[in-house]
Amino acid sequence: MRTEIIAAGVMVASAVLGVRYLDMASPKPQTRNLATVTATTSAPTKNQWGREVRIAASRDHQFYVDAEVNRRRAKFLVDTGASYVALRDSDAREAGIYTSHTDYTYPVRTANGETNAAFVTLDEIEINGIRVEGVKAFILPDNQLAINLLGMSFLSRIESVEARAGELVLRG
């Protein structure tokens, strides 16, 4: 069990560092696959450093968190394998993000198959005081995304992400 926790921590740290490294070299997404697209940021943004959020693993060994997108609450699955935050269309609308049919121009692959997504920049995502502004995200139709994904476009911009002893620790 201890070896698995250490391995998970190393994987999360590697993913964060890898995305930060690739982020500097990539101006815009070239591949449109939620699990493999490199996160990009355009300019330095304000983060709330010094905060810590602990998320206990659920019964299915996943990490779920309530966050605020543009100051509206939404539930997320923390997914270090997703390069971008992915929002269900209904949660995006709740957060004041309105897309039209013509915005869905990015082909993406999800667990539910291939679909088109809209690429947006969220004003902010906040989790218990850890706030990141200008987060890149994909908006997907509700029938293609069971739950919102908190991907690396958010996670790579906080101070650290660490898995240990059945919990995920976010610092920012």
Side-chain angles (χ1 to χ4, degrees):
M1 179 69 173
R2 183 180 177 112
T3 304
E4 292 170 332
I5 292 171
I6 291 171
V10 169
M11 288 174 47
V12 168
S14 297
V16 169
L17 292 174
V19 168
R20 283 187 179 172
Y21 172 77
L22 292 173
D23 183 43
M24 292 183 276
S26 298
K28 191 116 174 148
Q30 299 297 318
T31 307
R32 293 171 179 95
N33 181 338
L34 285 180
T36 60
V37 176
T38 305
T40 61
T41 57
S42 53
T45 57
K46 182 178 175 185
N47 293 325
Q48 299 296 320
W49 300 113
R51 308 259 181 175
E52 181 175 283
V53 175
R54 294 174 178 267
I55 306 164
S58 65
R59 287 186 175 180
D60 64 359
H61 306 288
Q62 301 289 333
F63 297 100
Y64 298 93
V65 64
D66 287 325
E68 289 187 4
V69 176
N70 298 349
R71 303 191 185 267
R72 300 290 183 163
R73 184 147 319 269
K75 186 151 184 92
F76 285 86
L77 167 65
V78 178
D79 186 354
T80 59
S83 295
Y84 287 96
V85 167
L87 277 177
R88 294 168 44 88
D89 182 60
S90 59
D91 288 319
R93 283 192 314 265
E94 181 69 28
I97 303 159
Y98 299 96
T99 55
S100 70
H101 180 68
T102 58
D103 294 325
Y104 287 78
T105 59
Y106 290 87
V108 295
R109 283 176 291 229
T110 70
N112 291 330
E114 292 189 22
T115 190
N116 287 332
F119 192 66
V120 299
T121 301
L122 306 173
D123 291 338
E124 68 180 24
I125 296 180
E126 183 172 344
I127 302 170
N128 293 343
I130 298 175
R131 184 177 67 223
V132 177
E133 296 174 348
V135 179
K136 304 291 185 189
F138 280 110
I139 308 297
L140 284 93
D142 285 1
N143 65 346
Q144 291 294 316
L145 191 61
I147 187 169
N148 299 313
L149 303 177
L150 191 65
M152 295 306 293
S153 61
F154 173 85
L155 297 171
S156 68
R157 297 187 42 216
I158 63 175
E159 185 178 345
S160 68
V161 179
E162 181 182 355
R164 61 178 169 185
E167 68 181 3
L168 192 67
V169 180
L170 307 179
R171 285 193 194 92

